Amino acid sequence: MMAQGISEFLVRGGPALWVIAVLSVLTLALILWKFWDLARLGAWSRASCDAAVGDWQQNRRQDAIARLARRNGLRARVVRRAMETRLDADMSDAVAREETQRVGKLALMQARRGLRALELIATIAPLIGLLGTVLGMIEAFQALQAAGNRADPAALAGGIWQALLTTAAGMAVAIPAAMALSWFESIVDRVQADLEDLATRIFITVQKGA
């Protein structure tokens, strides 16, 4: 019964509503995948990196690197690489910083993957809904013109509310997509701030100890 109701709803909305339905499934899949991806990358985990930097600042350099040896999170990778470059006698301070920035940029690119797709959905879903509404209104008024004096106002009203379904559906998809995008971007911004803070603490400590 539910499947039949959904099918009738989609048929009333026309092709635009079918496209929006596909976007809704894609949006949900992207949000769930991105949440899992950020969790896998340790986006909410900073404690081990703070402890490692604490060891570094106490001049326990090898202990600091060993603490992060088996960790592959975003912060751990950048912090470990920053420490390794500072211990490399063949690398100048400038080269070490450049290498750390390179690794940091790659980590942030990995953290941001999938966000462009969410942004695109949040942008085009309302436009597709509006397009479906405009096409539906055109069809409704064409039917009204064809009916002439025999036009049924109830039929016209039915055609209009069916056309408006696509606008509502487009907004229903765009709003959660935009909210999820904003939340994920705030997490990535926090990770970027943490990477800059942790790397700076490492380089400042080495400079003071030089």
Side-chain angles (χ1 to χ4, degrees):
M1 185 67 67
M2 182 179 294
Q4 183 179 357
I6 294 174
S7 178
E8 291 177 357
F9 177 76
L10 292 174
V11 169
R12 285 181 179 180
L17 196 56
W18 284 96
V19 174
I20 293 172
V22 173
L23 289 178
S24 68
V25 175
L26 182 59
T27 300
L28 178 60
L30 273 172
I31 291 173
L32 294 176
W33 170 79
K34 191 58 191 174
F35 182 84
W36 170 83
D37 187 50
L38 289 174
R40 183 180 62 85
L41 294 172
W44 292 279
S45 177
R46 176 176 167 158
S48 59
C49 290
D50 276 328
V53 172
D55 287 340
W56 179 271
Q57 291 175 324
Q58 295 298 321
N59 209 32
R60 297 192 295 268
R61 309 291 168 79
Q62 296 303 325
D63 290 342
I65 295 177
R67 188 185 289 273
L68 302 174
R70 295 184 179 180
R71 296 186 175 274
N72 199 37
L74 296 171
R75 296 178 183 86
R77 273 183 278 161
V78 176
V79 170
R80 185 171 61 245
R81 189 57 183 152
M83 292 177 178
E84 290 170 349
T85 58
R86 294 312 295 136
L87 292 177
D88 190 343
D90 295 331
M91 279 192 179
S92 65
D93 183 75
V95 173
R97 288 177 181 272
E98 287 292 330
E99 173 63 12
T100 302
Q101 289 179 2
R102 183 189 69 82
V103 176
K105 288 178 181 178
L106 290 176
L108 289 174
M109 285 181 61
Q110 189 175 12
R112 289 192 176 102
R113 61 188 177 186
L115 297 187
R116 284 292 182 89
L118 271 179
E119 182 180 7
L120 180 62
I121 291 173
T123 301
I124 68 172
L127 296 178
I128 294 175
L130 182 60
L131 175 62
T133 294
V134 171
L135 294 176
M137 295 289 284
I138 291 173
E139 184 178 346
F141 281 108
Q142 282 179 336
L144 177 64
Q145 181 184 23
N149 294 331
R150 296 176 288 103
D152 183 1
L156 176 62
I160 291 175
W161 78 257
Q162 288 179 11
L164 291 173
L165 282 176
T166 57
T167 295
M171 291 181 178
V173 173
I175 289 172
M179 291 175 62
L181 175 64
S182 179
W183 181 51
F184 289 140
E185 285 182 337
S186 70
I187 294 171
V188 175
D189 289 342
R190 175 61 185 273
V191 170
Q192 182 176 359
D194 287 348
L195 293 180
E196 292 173 355
D197 174 66
L198 293 166
T200 299
R201 288 164 60 189
I202 292 170
F203 282 96
I204 288 177
T205 301
V206 171
Q207 289 173 351
K208 286 182 177 179

